[in-house]
Amino acid sequence: EAQVTQNPRYLITVTGKKLTVTCSQNMNHEYMSWYRQDPGLGLRQIYYSMNVEVTDKGDVPEGYKVSRKEKRNFPLILESPSPNQTSLYFCASKRTGLNQQFFGPGTRLTVL
Amino acid sequence: GENVEQHPSTLSVQEGDSAVIKCTYSDSASNYFPWYKQELGKRPQLIIDIRSNVGEKKDQRIAVTLNKTAKHFSLHITETQPEDSAVYFCAADSGAGSYQLTFGKGTKLSVIP
């Protein structure tokens, strides 16, 4: 089944404790992206990747890192999480030349 | 960068009535405008999209219209049903081959049986 997966789906952590949220897609998509969703603010892009080893900042990249060593994986790294990073995170992917983005199931992160 | 404004933020309609959600965008280079539906606790799902070379697109009870001159586009849902209740997001790309999407802040649609 073609899909985007994220792990973990739920995470409660404490300030300053490094964490990684994984994202994987099995559709051989070149483009992958991370969004955060906060009440009343919609979806805001954190980072995106056009292909392996190519990443770029979105609208709200501060406090986040990403890597794209393989085509299928695009992990989101929070080196020192803070409470303002408490949010619902979505990974998405798409094929180059096509418009539709496919979203993962989301990761709800709480930073205490 | 692109800025997308979406109105209204909440909308309640009686079952069977029509619902209209409107968005405006700022970047005249934008040429792809999708609409996503997000049910409670679920991921956003694409329901309809339109490209800038088309003025209107329809899929059963859902239609999208685009006015490039005025830089606004709208989602129309006819004969609403309770299962249409969800949050709807519009988005616009950044044009020039960019894959980046800028989203509106969402509209919570409630269909009252």
Side-chain angles (χ1 to χ4, degrees):
Chain A
E1 179 190 355
Q3 59 182 346
V4 180
T5 57
Q6 295 179 227
N7 282 291
R9 296 289 315 280
Y10 303 91
L11 179 60
I12 300 174
T13 189
V14 296
T15 299
K17 186 177 181 182
K18 181 179 178 179
L19 67 92
T20 299
V21 184
T22 65
C23 173
S24 184
Q25 50 91 9
N26 62 1
M27 297 171 278
N28 202 35
H29 287 170
E30 293 83 6
Y31 178 89
M32 298 184 74
S33 181
W34 277 102
Y35 297 89
R36 61 178 288 173
Q37 183 177 19
D38 302 291
L41 296 180
L43 290 134
R44 294 178 294 166
Q45 190 176 52
I46 303 170
Y47 269 95
Y48 65 98
S49 170
M50 300 289 285
N51 213 324
V52 176
E53 300 291 2
V54 181
T55 63
D56 210 345
K57 296 177 181 178
D59 296 318
V60 288
E62 294 78 19
Y64 304 95
K65 287 175 57 178
V66 293
S67 69
R68 188 89 183 273
K69 293 181 169 48
E70 307 165 280
K71 198 172 189 179
R72 63 183 293 124
N73 296 322
F74 189 44
L76 179 69
I77 303 154
L78 285 72
E79 294 269 2
S80 182
S82 62
N84 64 12
Q85 293 177 297
T86 292
S87 189
L88 178 59
Y89 292 86
F90 287 100
C91 179
S93 72
K94 68 181 289 295
R95 183 177 297 281
T96 299
L98 299 179
N99 291 117
Q100 184 177 353
Q101 291 197 27
F102 294 85
F103 283 83
T107 295
R108 186 166 291 283
L109 172 66
T110 300
V111 183
L112 302 175
Chain B
E2 175 69 278
N3 182 49
V4 177
E5 300 279 345
Q6 183 172 347
H7 298 280
S9 56
T10 60
L11 179 60
S12 291
V13 299
Q14 290 291 134
E15 182 177 357
D17 286 350
S18 295
V20 180
I21 302 170
K22 299 182 179 182
C23 288
T24 60
Y25 61 98
S26 61
D27 190 347
S28 57
S30 296
N31 57 27
Y32 174 66
F33 308 91
W35 285 89
Y36 285 84
K37 176 184 180 181
Q38 187 179 30
E39 296 175 351
L40 192 62
K42 300 285 183 65
R43 74 192 77 189
Q45 299 270 19
L46 180 72
I47 55 171
I48 196 166
D49 56 13
I50 193 167
R51 293 192 62 84
S52 59
N53 56 348
V54 176
E56 183 173 357
K57 184 177 178 180
K58 191 173 182 181
D59 182 4
Q60 299 182 345
R61 296 186 297 108
I62 294 173
V64 57
T65 58
L66 171 65
N67 183 325
K68 277 217 78 177
T69 303
K71 289 191 276 190
H72 66 71
F73 56 113
S74 301
L75 177 71
H76 304 254
I77 306 174
T78 59
E79 300 171 22
T80 53
Q81 301 167 2
E83 51 265 38
D84 293 329
S85 296
V87 179
Y88 291 82
F89 293 97
C90 63
D93 75 352
S94 298
S98 168
Y99 296 157
Q100 286 183 269
L101 286 180
T102 300
F103 285 81
K105 294 182 179 179
T107 296
K108 183 176 181 181
L109 174 64
S110 299
V111 180
I112 304 162

